[in-house]
Amino acid sequence: MKQDMIVILDLGSTENTVLAREIRDLGVYSEIHPHDITVDELRKLDNVKGVILNGGENRIVDGVAVEVSDTIFDCGYPVIAIDHPTAKCETKLDKLPDKDALSEFLFEQCKAEANWNMKNFIEDQVELVRQQVGDRKVLLALSGGVDSSVVAALLLKAIGQQLVCVHVNHGLMRKNESESVLEVFKNQLHANLIYVDATERFLGKLENVADPEEKRKIIGGEFIRVFEEEARKLDGIDFLGQGTIYPDIIESGTKTAKMVKSHHNVGGLPEDLQFELVEPLKQLFKDEVRACGIELGLPENMVYRQPFPGPGLGVRCLGAITRERLEAVRESDAILREEFEKAGLDKKVWQYFTVVPDFKSVGMKNHARCFEYMVIIRAVNTIDAMTASIERLDWEVLDKITQRILAEVEHVNRVCYDMSPKPPATIEFE
């Protein structure tokens, strides 16, 4: 079933995504498009029922106020303007409409149906993927993160064994992460999964490398080389599956908003790997990706997995990576996640993890002096990751986590809690 759509035209608002989310929460699909969309481009979009002109503080670009084409008002769609006075629009609002006003526009003026839900979305995407791929094969780098896992599950539903997943274990995964990927996708979903244990290869390349950016470059570059090697062993691969989601597209900037960060689809893959992209999640916000995963039957602990940096634990084992400290990061992180889940904090706190610095401190163990590492706990809340506040943990929870880390993690004699918000600190240490 094709969902009805409300088109938001960006005329400088900083709240386009807020409006888009409110419309979707009412059961109607919405997309954000640039202010200078042509009538032909608008009419080519599927099932458009109405248009919202969303003005705001970024409406002046290079000294000129951006405008929509007058022909937009002659397309036959109901149109409302927010913070954007225009003589041709009958309905004008000075701020985002409340739920009742928005409902009236969607269902009374636009005659839209509340048919935006994950079941319908999945049915549509399965059909679209089958039309795009036909009887050919799709290659997917399956990291085990939320986006790649949901893409894998959706593509499996659409094309089954025509999907080839490659999971690269670079030795910097969280505890039991690769095992979880193998259990769910190979043993339960019976995916065509290639597992590459490249632990020794990665750790060898990272030996004695302390600079954070250099570590990132080595990990990212080596991952590409491993993935490329596996791809070249395969025949008949025409498509590359990607976990691109809607914020990736929005954050790459519009004509009235500065770019937050650039997103490139193929992640630096060599140019001679000629793939056509398959991006079935590119319409979804992050929480919708999780809802999609649940609808597809993925386990909750995979769908609600913590955000995890591409270099993995490599940027949480601070400085030059050693196997001893890497294991301390992995074990302490597992304890933190286990205790957060027991305390009901796993869905309340946006991101939480441990890091181990590359220096030791004096302590006492077994009535003797010891010289060992410290574990630093970080737990933050944020909406957009541009700023972050510290979670005020209950003292009993923090004490239990501390006691378990000190008792169960080798080569550690001290636990600290990071109280630094962003800014001035960043969320990750490296």
Side-chain angles (χ1 to χ4, degrees):
M1 175 190 290
K2 286 290 184 184
Q3 287 88 20
D4 290 345
M5 185 199 300
I6 299 297
V7 173
I8 300 168
L9 297 187
D10 175 22
L11 285 102
S13 175
T14 58
E15 297 184 294
N16 289 316
T17 56
V18 173
L19 181 58
R21 295 306 314 279
E22 288 181 351
I23 294 170
R24 292 188 186 193
D25 286 345
L26 289 168
V28 181
Y29 179 61
S30 60
E31 280 186 1
I32 302 163
H33 287 269
H35 69 279
D36 57 358
I37 190 171
T38 66
V39 171
D40 287 342
E41 289 169 336
L42 185 61
R43 284 180 171 153
K44 284 178 183 176
L45 298 174
D46 288 333
N47 288 18
V48 175
K49 295 296 183 179
V51 177
I52 299 178
L53 312 180
N54 201 21
E57 60 192 61
N58 294 324
R59 189 171 162 231
I60 307 299
V61 178
D62 297 328
V64 178
V66 296
E67 301 285 355
V68 295
S69 168
D70 282 348
T71 55
I72 294 293
F73 299 99
D74 301 322
C75 285
Y77 305 121
V79 179
I80 61 172
I82 301 171
D83 195 18
H84 176 59
T86 174
K88 296 209 69 174
C89 187
E90 294 182 2
T91 307
K92 307 180 188 69
L93 303 172
D94 58 3
K95 62 180 181 180
L96 292 184
D98 60 26
K99 188 173 182 179
D100 289 340
L102 194 56
S103 294
E104 197 277 334
F105 176 69
L106 300 180
F107 303 117
E108 299 300 323
Q109 296 185 46
C110 298
K111 308 299 182 187
E113 290 186 37
N115 55 14
W116 168 250
N117 56 60
M118 282 304 112
K119 184 174 184 296
N120 288 343
F121 170 80
I122 290 168
E123 288 178 0
D124 283 352
Q125 290 304 314
V126 164
E127 182 59 32
L128 289 171
V129 167
R130 287 173 178 168
Q131 290 175 9
Q132 181 184 8
V133 173
D135 59 358
R136 293 175 289 174
K137 292 181 179 179
V138 178
L139 182 65
L140 174 69
L142 177 56
S143 68
V146 176
D147 299 339
S148 71
S149 296
V150 175
V151 167
L154 200 155
L155 292 178
L156 273 172
K157 184 177 179 68
I159 58 173
Q161 293 300 299
Q162 292 167 243
L163 173 67
V164 181
C165 299
V166 177
H167 176 70
V168 179
N169 180 359
H170 49 27
L172 305 168
M173 309 292 283
R174 288 171 288 200
K175 189 174 182 178
N176 298 327
E177 193 146 33
S178 287
E179 292 83 351
S180 173
V181 170
L182 290 171
E183 171 60 28
V184 171
F185 285 97
K186 194 174 187 69
N187 299 340
Q188 296 179 20
L189 300 180
H190 308 294
N192 186 358
L193 175 61
I194 298 168
Y195 172 67
V196 183
D197 187 350
T199 298
E200 296 303 319
R201 176 170 174 171
F202 276 84
L203 295 185
K205 294 278 186 181
L206 290 164
E207 192 171 357
N208 299 321
V209 177
D211 181 75
E213 285 306 306
E214 186 64 21
K215 286 199 293 186
R216 286 179 179 273
K217 287 177 183 176
I218 290 171
I219 295 167
E222 202 63 22
F223 180 86
I224 290 166
R225 280 187 282 274
V226 173
F227 187 73
E228 179 190 10
E229 289 168 14
E230 295 303 318
R232 293 196 186 283
K233 295 175 186 176
L234 304 169
D235 293 323
I237 302 289
D238 295 308
F239 298 91
L240 182 68
Q242 287 286 132
T244 307
I245 64 176
Y246 203 39
D248 296 340
I249 297 169
I250 296 168
E251 286 179 347
S252 293
T254 68
K255 295 172 184 177
T256 57
K258 293 180 180 178
M259 182 178 67
V260 177
K261 55 185 174 181
S262 61
H263 294 267
H264 44 85
N265 288 326
V266 293
L269 287 169
E271 292 181 4
D272 56 348
L273 284 178
Q274 298 297 322
F275 293 121
E276 183 180 333
L277 292 177
V278 178
E279 301 174 298
L281 304 183
K282 66 182 179 181
Q283 297 169 275
L284 300 185
F285 289 100
K286 190 72 173 187
D287 65 314
E288 292 173 327
V289 174
R290 297 187 196 278
C292 182
I294 294 295
E295 182 70 27
L296 286 164
L298 288 177
E300 275 204 8
N301 63 354
M302 180 170 280
V303 169
Y304 287 97
R305 183 165 284 160
Q306 281 281 296
F308 197 49
L313 299 181
V315 293
R316 295 177 181 172
C317 184
L318 307 184
I321 296 170
T322 66
R323 293 170 190 262
E324 190 173 80
R325 286 191 301 110
L326 182 60
E327 196 59 23
V329 176
R330 184 176 285 119
E331 292 298 324
S332 60
D333 175 79
I335 290 170
L336 179 68
R337 287 187 287 124
E338 185 178 321
E339 292 302 328
F340 264 44
E341 184 178 356
K342 286 180 183 177
L345 293 167
D346 52 325
K347 293 186 177 69
K348 178 189 174 191
V349 182
W350 188 80
Q351 189 168 11
Y352 47 94
F353 56 89
T354 63
V355 301
V356 176
D358 58 348
F359 59 86
K360 298 180 178 180
S361 66
V362 176
M364 290 286 293
K365 274 190 176 179
N366 300 319
H367 308 291
R369 179 184 185 276
C370 64
F371 195 52
E372 295 182 326
Y373 297 109
M374 73 170 63
V375 168
I376 302 173
I377 297 170
R378 186 138 174 83
V380 299
N381 289 309
T382 182
I383 295 173
D384 55 11
M386 302 301 291
T387 62
S389 60
I390 304 305
E391 173 67 19
R392 296 175 181 267
L393 287 183
D394 180 83
W395 183 258
E396 290 185 5
V397 173
L398 190 56
D399 185 56
K400 185 176 182 182
I401 294 168
T402 299
Q403 295 306 319
R404 282 197 60 191
I405 290 174
L406 292 175
E408 299 174 31
V409 181
E410 294 185 1
H411 312 295
V412 169
N413 67 359
R414 197 178 296 266
V415 176
C416 300
Y417 190 59
D418 183 359
M419 294 292 294
S420 314
K422 178 182 180 180
T426 53
I427 294 174
E428 296 284 348
F429 276 62
E430 290 189 344

